[in-house]
Amino acid sequence: MVDGADFVAVTLADGAEYDAAIVGTDPSTDLALLKIEGDGPFPTVAWGDSDSLRIGNWVVAVGGPFGLSGTVTAGIVSATDRDLHSGPYDDYIQFDAPINPGNSGGPVFDVSGHVIGVSTAIVSPSRGSVGIGFAVPASIAESVIDSLLNDGVVERGFLGVQIQEVTDDLAMALGLDEPTGALVADVRAGTPAELAGVQVGDLITGFDGHAVERMRDLPRLVAATAPGATVDMQVLRNGEAIVLPVTVGTLDAAGQQASAEPPAQGMLLGRLGLAVAPAEDYGWRGQDGKARGLVITEVRQDSAAEKADLRTGDVILAVGGHAVESAEDLATAIGAIAGEEGRSVALLIERDGDRRFVALPVDAS
């Protein structure tokens, strides 16, 4: 991102360089809008229809990997609507055109020469291309850029619930034929959800005329709704289908977790491979009846956390004998000894009512 940059310049294909001003940024999609300070006209490209993409369609990616500007690679669409668990609005196009660090922010074209995506990420154990790249779809990028152009910011809708995925076991317990919807785990006080009468245990199955088939559908639908709009939300409560009119609020710039964001998300702590969130936000109480510590919301495969046998749902109470109440506390405590060869940090965790110490290697983190 260019957010916070002291100086920005734009270099065209012919080598001409211009100063540029930052009109606005959107960290949630990793997009920014720049204004070139110079006399035009400048060359432009047109947005395409990313919603019409099909698996197997050819695409061309343009970027500057390793400083080699104007590099063009080709491939096919491997998947759409891909979730990388990087945020509540994940909806990426996956393609196999080789891209590398330096391609981020570059356009992805369809065979008609229209921009159907913006390269944003790769999956690779070596940080080199292995044929798995991702792009923000044009349908999202275009609306973000329009908002930045008109308002300088991107306003997203806000509901005020924490939701979770409906598993097979939960579906059976709820009397559903199959897993569907977004299950409300918490309703924040004073939020649009509370004012609309949403209750813990409600199953949200529809929002503003759109079906909510999976948990991750709801944050996107809420975010795409104009703040201040009143829409109908379909809910199953104790087996009864009801409709709740809800007036959508405005998500603050920091994207607080009080938004309609899946509880599976948390603050990711780099190479340790785990994400955490305040246990109190999940209604967790320890064996002493108090809410404290950090709940592990995600453990990445082959990470230091996985090798230490940390698990999703474990609650970290202390690091090296010091209580932790926030992800920043944990990162600071671990960072104090990180980098020392062969070092591990002792985490006091609670799992299923039992407390234990776990040695977490941090020398490579």
Side-chain angles (χ1 to χ4, degrees), residues 303-311 314 347 349 351 357-361:
S303 65
E306 183 185 59
K307 293 172 183 176
D309 195 32
L310 290 173
R311 305 174 189 176
D314 287 350
L347 304 183
I349 68 168
R351 178 187 296 165
F357 283 98
V358 173
L360 177 65

Side-chain angles (χ1 to χ4, degrees), residues 267 269 276-279 293-294 316 319 323-332:
M267 179 175 176
L269 297 179
V276 295
L294 300 168
I316 302 173
V319 178
V324 290
E325 300 294 341
S326 68
E328 289 77 12
D329 289 346
L330 180 60
T332 299

Side-chain angles (χ1 to χ4, degrees), residues 109-156:
F109 294 93
D110 61 17
V111 293
S112 299
H114 297 135
V115 178
I116 49 82
V118 179
S119 295
T120 189
I122 62 174
V123 170
S124 169
S126 63
R127 296 194 77 239
S129 175
V130 293
I132 302 179
F134 300 93
V136 177
S139 58
I140 294 177
E142 184 176 7
S143 64
V144 167
I145 296 304
D146 284 346
S147 295
L148 294 176
L149 179 62
N150 295 322
D151 306 315
V153 296
V154 179
E155 287 193 339
R156 290 187 170 89

Side-chain angles (χ1 to χ4, degrees), residues 116-298:
I116 49 82
V118 179
S119 295
T120 189
I122 62 174
V123 170
S124 169
S126 63
R127 296 194 77 239
S129 175
V130 293
I132 302 179
F134 300 93
V136 177
S139 58
I140 294 177
E142 184 176 7
S143 64
V144 167
I145 296 304
D146 284 346
S147 295
L148 294 176
L149 179 62
N150 295 322
D151 306 315
V153 296
V154 179
E155 287 193 339
R156 290 187 170 89
F158 167 73
L159 189 57
V161 293
Q162 283 192 339
I163 53 177
Q164 69 181 79
E165 194 75 61
V166 178
T167 63
D168 290 334
D169 290 340
L170 278 174
M172 183 179 299
L174 295 171
L176 304 174
D177 294 331
E178 59 183 3
T180 189
L183 185 61
V184 177
D186 188 29
V187 180
R188 299 296 177 85
T191 61
E194 184 189 51
L195 296 176
V198 179
Q199 299 177 10
V200 173
D202 284 350
L203 182 68
I204 300 174
T205 58
F207 188 87
D208 194 21
H210 301 278
V212 178
E213 298 178 352
R214 300 166 295 176
M215 175 187 69
R216 58 191 290 252
D217 293 337
L218 184 61
R220 297 181 194 172
L221 292 171
V222 174
T225 304
T230 299
V231 302
D232 287 338
M233 186 165 64
Q234 287 71 42
V235 170
L236 276 178
R237 179 180 295 167
N238 299 322
E240 179 184 357
I242 61 175
V243 177
L244 297 176
V246 57
T247 300
V248 177
T250 302
L251 182 65
D252 64 30
Q256 299 291 325
Q257 276 202 343
S259 65
E261 183 173 329
Q265 301 296 328
M267 179 175 176
L268 182 64
L269 297 179
R271 297 179 187 174
L272 293 177
L274 57 82
V276 295
E280 185 176 7
D281 289 352
Y282 286 69
W284 179 87
R285 294 292 185 274
Q287 56 184 226
D288 57 3
K290 297 180 179 180
R292 59 180 61 172
L294 300 168
V295 63
I296 297 177
T297 61
E298 180 183 357

Side-chain angles (χ1 to χ4, degrees), residues 2 7-12 17-25 32-40 42 145 148-149 152:
V2 298
F7 174 77
V8 178
V10 173
T11 303
L12 303 186
E17 185 173 297
Y18 298 87
D19 292 341
I22 302 171
V23 177
T25 65
L33 177 64
L34 305 179
K35 179 182 179 181
I36 298 176
E37 305 289 359
D39 296 327
F42 297 105
I145 296 304
L148 294 176
L149 179 62

